[in-house]
């Protein structure tokens, strides 16, 4: 087998690997979105999948899912005009 043929095979294998990974990532994202939209808490999704809460949050944000949890008292105060915390 020539070097050119080996390079072609390597490129094809790399393309196939990328394609498979992208397909798997899209399928994972779809299931995470379904779980969040059905009311499952992000922390439970993170625990069930083994991915971090931040990864789950990014997926939610990319799919226009609103707040993942109720705002805390502190965050509500910060959201009000002039509500900067002293910290």
């Amino acid at each position: 087998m020539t070097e050119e043929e080996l390079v072609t095979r390597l490129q094809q294998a790399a393309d196939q690997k990328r394609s498979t990974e992208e397909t798997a990532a899209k399928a994972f994202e779809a299931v995470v979105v379904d779980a969040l939209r059905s009311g499952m808490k992000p922390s439970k999704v993170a625990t069930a999948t083994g991915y971090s809460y931040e990864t789950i949050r990014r997926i939610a944000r990319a799919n226009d899912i609103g707040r993942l949890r109720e705002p805390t008292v502190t965050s509500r105060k910060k959201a009000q005009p002039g509500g900067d915390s002293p910290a």
Side-chain angles (χ1 to χ4, degrees):
M1 191 177 290
T2 68
E3 186 175 328
E4 188 176 304
E5 290 171 329
L6 285 172
V7 169
T8 300
R9 285 184 61 204
L10 284 169
Q11 290 171 340
Q12 289 171 342
D15 289 344
Q16 184 178 7
K17 183 177 186 271
R18 260 186 239 102
S19 176
T20 302
E21 289 171 349
E22 288 172 8
T23 301
K26 287 177 184 176
F28 173 74
E29 186 174 308
V31 174
V32 168
V33 168
D34 287 345
L36 293 172
R37 287 196 173 135
S38 71
M40 186 179 271
K41 293 188 179 212
S43 60
K44 191 165 188 167
V45 174
T47 300
T49 61
Y51 282 82
S52 70
Y53 180 86
E54 182 63 20
T55 299
I56 303 305
R57 186 193 66 76
R58 284 186 194 132
I59 291 171
R61 187 173 279 175
N63 287 278
D64 296 323
I65 295 176
R67 286 191 173 270
L68 298 180
R69 64 185 174 96
E70 289 297 315
T72 63
V73 172
T74 303
S75 64
R76 284 186 187 140
K77 287 180 181 177
K78 287 181 180 180
Q80 294 175 355
D84 291 328
S85 72

